[in-house]
Amino acid sequence: MKSYCIVNDTTPDLHVGSDAVMRTIREAARRHGYTEVASHPVSTEITGRDYERLLARADLVLINGEGTMHGDSRGCKNLAHFAAVAKEWGKRVVLLNSCYDANSQVTANLLARCDLLCFRESQAQRTFARQCPQVSTRVVGDLSLQSFPRIERPASATDIVITDSVLEDATAALVEIGQHFNARYACVKEFRFGSRKNLPLRAAARAFARSVVRLQPRPGLLLDLVRHQSRATFHDTVRRAGVVITGRFHAVMYCLHNRVPFLYRASNTGKIDYVLANAGLDIARRKVTGLPDVLRLGLRAQDVVQAAAYSPEESERLDDYLRQQQDAVAALWRDVFA
């Protein structure tokens, strides 16, 4: 029996994108005859007592880099150290689906011990190469692209749909856009209803309170957000979108996969910019910071939808990018599970 363990398992995040990434990895392992013998969840430090559990029975170690490997964060350094320990145990180690930005040379040197390093964007690959030019790496687009469902959208879709962001100020800006256009809310990540981490609910409640003070109460977005606290509603909401305005990397990936027009507010790194550069899309036209930028595209919802539509050239480049990722991920799995 061939076996593997996976670390930085993002399933507990209750996140549309993380669900898709982990489905892709686990399905690929199953197809190639590998059995999962251990896993370690995201946002939980790997300590000495975890090594035996994770490594003793695993022939292959998969590290899901996803959005963790930036800023030399504690989680980033923990995964890099674990990669080096796994190599000392004689394991085959693969870093998969990883961002990479603003990390120390120590972190780069630890990761360089991996048997295979796979980044999500060319920019991440170039950043790592500046630190470890002798190490061979590859780029494969985010693995969510392989597991997101196909959605059928009505040709006349005109709804503006917003999501939240991992950043509080960006979430507030997106909610302001949604409040102005009476937009619908698509839930990318689930939060406990009353949790302080539920940034979208808090931002929508504040936006509604401001509208009441102005004697122009507009409860639509807040009520829609309350109804859509489960990520299970995400697909149907986006299916009816004329445009998605988001601060979430994986919402952008979902839009690319399904050719849904989108605008975006930057996330906690430049990862959205980097993917769009790889896909050949117009970053300047799609990147917004807040409501004034959206209003410059159009005062009415239908004008914004039209402004965000893919040009024929963009559509062609996007089709090419998605085909390339299918080929790249097939080659990746052949090497990972060789």
Side-chain angles (χ1 to χ4, degrees):
M1 180 188 75
K2 296 178 288 187
S3 61
Y4 76 98
C5 72
I6 187 159
V7 299
N8 213 36
D9 178 353
T10 49
T11 306
D13 263 357
L14 306 180
H15 186 295
V16 167
S18 298
D19 290 346
V21 167
M22 297 310 301
R23 274 198 309 273
T24 299
I25 295 171
R26 287 186 162 117
E27 175 58 21
R30 185 196 64 77
R31 287 198 314 270
H32 287 82
Y34 275 74
T35 299
E36 184 175 321
V37 293
S39 67
H40 197 82
V42 66
S43 303
T44 305
E45 188 167 357
I46 304 168
T47 62
R49 63 177 178 271
D50 296 309
Y51 296 154
E52 179 75 21
R53 176 180 64 84
L54 291 169
L55 297 175
R57 295 185 297 143
D59 303 309
L60 172 66
V61 175
L62 301 180
I63 301 174
N64 174 33
E66 210 162 323
T68 302
M69 309 303 289
H70 67 89
D72 230 22
S73 66
R74 183 166 181 163
C76 171
K77 290 187 285 189
N78 184 236
L79 291 180
H81 180 261
F82 176 73
V85 170
K87 286 304 301 176
E88 289 174 2
W89 278 56
K91 305 299 179 179
R92 177 169 163 78
V93 181
V94 177
L95 176 69
L96 285 170
N97 202 52
S98 190
C99 69
Y100 191 84
D101 186 53
N103 295 316
S104 68
Q105 187 65 50
V106 170
T107 294
N109 291 345
L110 290 171
L111 290 175
R113 303 183 193 183
C114 291
D115 295 279
L116 194 157
L117 291 136
C118 181
F119 299 109
R120 300 186 303 193
E121 315 98 21
S122 298
Q123 178 63 34
Q125 183 187 47
R126 288 191 293 269
T127 299
F128 182 81
R130 285 194 289 270
Q131 293 177 301
C132 296
Q134 77 285 3
V135 177
S136 176
T137 63
R138 66 176 71 188
V139 176
V140 177
D142 190 77
L143 294 179
S144 64
L145 291 171
Q146 311 305 317
S147 289
F148 277 144
R150 291 286 185 195
I151 55 173
E152 296 293 331
R153 296 172 55 244
S156 58
T158 57
D159 284 355
I160 290 182
V161 169
I162 67 156
T163 77
D164 67 333
S165 166
V166 69
L167 303 174
E168 185 167 7
D169 60 340
T171 296
L174 291 162
V175 165
E176 183 184 22
I177 294 167
Q179 183 82 354
H180 179 87
F181 286 101
N182 199 29
R184 303 192 68 219
Y185 176 74
C187 178
V188 175
K189 176 177 168 61
E190 293 180 21
F191 300 95
R192 290 196 305 274
F193 189 81
S195 168
R196 287 185 57 81
K197 294 182 179 180
N198 196 334
L199 298 180
L201 185 61
R202 288 166 52 200
R206 288 194 294 266
F208 173 63
R210 289 194 296 270
S211 74
V212 170
V213 170
R214 293 194 299 266
L215 302 180
Q216 295 177 324
R218 304 184 71 177
L221 178 64
L222 177 60
L223 293 174
D224 196 64
L225 200 147
V226 169
R227 285 194 296 267
H228 295 93
Q229 288 287 292
S230 167
R231 69 194 188 282
T233 65
F234 176 84
H235 309 291
D236 190 56
T237 302
V238 174
R239 184 181 64 81
R240 290 179 279 172
V243 61
V244 174
I245 307 178
T246 183
R248 290 279 184 178
F249 173 83
H250 278 113
V252 169
M253 300 309 295
Y254 190 93
C255 288
L256 295 178
H257 179 70
N258 284 291
R259 281 73 166 180
V260 179
F262 66 93
L263 304 172
Y264 72 99
R265 163 93 185 221
S267 188
N268 55 346
T269 69
K271 55 193 172 185
I272 298 176
D273 292 2
Y274 305 152
V275 165
L276 298 194
N278 282 166
L281 300 190
D282 187 342
I283 294 172
R285 183 161 67 92
R286 300 188 179 281
K287 192 172 186 177
V288 299
T289 57
L291 180 58
D293 288 342
V294 179
L295 291 175
R296 279 192 283 273
L297 297 174
L299 300 179
R300 302 175 304 167
Q302 55 264 46
D303 298 329
V304 177
V305 170
Q306 185 174 358
Y310 296 103
S311 69
E313 296 78 15
E314 282 187 312
S315 293
E316 185 175 343
R317 289 192 290 266
L318 178 56
D319 287 346
D320 288 344
Y321 172 75
L322 293 173
R323 279 194 296 270
Q324 290 163 8
Q325 302 323 306
Q326 292 284 351
D327 294 341
V329 80
L332 172 69
W333 295 141
R334 286 195 296 271
D335 290 342
V336 168
F337 299 112

